[in-house]
Amino acid sequence: ALSFSATLGIIIFAPYLKLLIKKPVYFSEALSVSVSAWILTLPVLVLAFHQASIVSVFSNILVSFVVLPIMILGFMMVFAGFILPQLAMLIGFIAYLPLSYLVLVARKFGQLPFAQLEINKLNIIVVFCYYLLLFVIFTWLRKKYSIQL
């Protein structure tokens, strides 16, 4: 449910948020993707874990530029492991730097005293109303900006 919600949020809302956040380009891309995913996953996270991260959007922006290199290096490491294990180890050492940065940011933001907001009871009717409101906002944005998805 989380992956589906995050992907749907990015597909639906990121193009509109990019229009609102124009510059700098990299920042607008990272912020629009992070906020779009957060918007649709928030109720799922609260229902499952009874807490919402207040800092996740900001930490995601800080690590967004290392995610793709980590994924590429990870795939390279797997494939190299079948052919030449020593090469896989070398790629793993290279991947260590961006991975360490990602883990450091996650730990530091997670340790902030205000990082999580505890929400013990969330009514399913509130969740339904939240998603209904998002649908209304999406419909309005689509009419206003006429972006084809």
Side-chain angles (χ1 to χ4, degrees):
L2 275 177
S3 296
F4 176 79
S5 300
T7 303
L8 186 62
I10 291 167
I11 291 169
I12 290 174
F13 287 108
Y16 300 106
L17 289 174
K18 277 190 246 179
L19 291 173
L20 299 172
I21 312 160
K22 297 187 181 180
K23 297 208 177 186
V25 174
Y26 172 77
F27 181 75
S28 69
E29 179 77 24
L31 184 62
S32 64
V33 168
S34 186
V35 169
S36 298
W38 183 78
I39 287 170
L40 254 70
T41 58
L42 182 63
V44 177
L45 288 167
V46 171
L47 283 172
F49 303 109
H50 305 289
Q51 55 184 231
S53 174
I54 298 170
V55 298
S56 63
V57 170
F58 305 107
S59 62
N60 286 344
I61 291 169
L62 289 176
V63 300
S64 62
F65 70 95
V66 297
V67 173
L68 184 60
I70 289 170
M71 290 174 56
I72 291 170
L73 289 168
F75 284 123
M76 289 171 56
M77 192 170 65
V78 168
F79 290 120
F82 289 117
I83 300 165
L84 189 61
Q86 293 82 2
L87 180 60
M89 287 179 54
L90 177 64
I91 295 170
F93 285 124
I94 295 168
Y96 181 79
L97 183 64
L99 278 167
S100 296
Y101 171 73
L102 187 141
V103 170
L104 175 74
V105 170
R107 282 188 179 150
K108 292 299 179 186
F109 273 84
Q111 291 172 350
L112 293 173
F114 55 85
Q116 300 290 341
L117 180 63
E118 295 290 327
I119 304 171
N120 291 322
K121 293 185 181 186
L122 183 63
N123 190 328
I124 198 73
I125 295 171
V126 173
V127 173
F128 177 77
C129 291
Y130 177 82
Y131 282 122
L132 184 63
L133 177 64
L134 287 179
F135 178 75
V136 169
I137 292 169
F138 168 70
T139 305
W140 175 78
L141 286 170
R142 194 160 185 208
K143 285 180 183 177
K144 181 174 176 153
Y145 294 107
S146 67
I147 294 177
Q148 296 298 325
L149 300 179

